[in-house]
Amino acid sequence: MAQAAPTPGRPVIPDRPSAPDRPSAPGRSAGPAPPDVFSARTHVLANRIVPVVLGLVYGYWAAAMDRDAGPITGWNLLFGFVTAFVFAALHIAVLTVAPRLRREAHALLWAAFAGCAFGFLYSQASQHSVLRSTVMSLAIAAAVFAVNFYRYYTHEDATGHRQR
């Protein structure tokens, strides 16, 4: 019977009791956990700054598509800032609500957000119909749902707790 050889620096611990939220895996390698490089304060700050920066980029992109190489006007600037504000507010809401949901709803919420965000930008292009924008946003939402569901299904248990 063949046995897996231990990796240098990481001894293999034969069957040991595991934490209540993690299943036991025979022959699981025990090593130090990956270091947490940033502090909790940095993570909280990043969770607020990243949606704002993404919102500004999204608003600029929407305003640039709306003006269609024309002059920059006050209404164009207002459109860009309102779009940026709405995107950032919805992104913060999704970041707040999504982790509390089960993995199916978690993936569905991110898919709806990504599909709506893409569909809005796609509809800003003058040559696309509403039907084509809807079909494209549904395709993007389906792809985002599949990727996120796979990720949450393989990294969480049924109640939504992360497995390490």
Side-chain angles (χ1 to χ4, degrees):
M1 180 160 107
Q3 299 291 327
T7 306
R10 298 189 85 184
V12 173
I13 298 176
D15 297 326
R16 68 176 177 138
S18 63
D21 61 336
R22 290 194 282 172
S24 174
R28 184 176 67 203
S29 65
D36 190 9
V37 178
F38 300 112
S39 67
R41 181 174 178 258
T42 305
H43 284 288
V44 170
L45 192 61
N47 281 340
R48 297 298 179 239
I49 289 176
V50 168
V52 171
V53 169
L54 289 177
L56 289 172
V57 169
Y58 187 85
Y60 172 75
W61 193 353
M65 289 178 70
D66 185 52
R67 74 182 171 94
D68 196 27
I72 297 174
T73 63
W75 289 112
N76 187 253
L77 287 174
L78 180 64
F79 176 74
F81 281 117
V82 169
T83 303
F85 177 76
V86 170
F87 181 89
L90 288 175
H91 193 231
I92 290 172
V94 169
L95 281 174
T96 304
V97 173
R100 298 177 185 161
L101 300 174
R102 293 180 52 101
R103 59 186 171 207
E104 297 87 2
H106 192 170
L108 188 62
L109 185 60
W110 277 110
F113 175 72
C116 290
F118 176 81
F120 179 72
L121 282 182
Y122 196 77
S123 71
Q124 292 301 307
S126 60
Q127 69 268 20
H128 302 300
S129 68
V130 173
L131 181 62
R132 183 170 175 159
S133 298
T134 303
V135 169
M136 292 299 289
S137 66
L138 287 174
I140 294 296
V144 169
F145 177 77
V147 169
N148 278 336
F149 182 75
Y150 176 77
R151 180 180 180 270
Y152 301 139
Y153 189 79
T154 57
H155 290 82
E156 295 178 354
D157 60 6
T159 57
H161 297 105
R162 287 186 177 187
Q163 296 176 351
R164 297 196 189 253

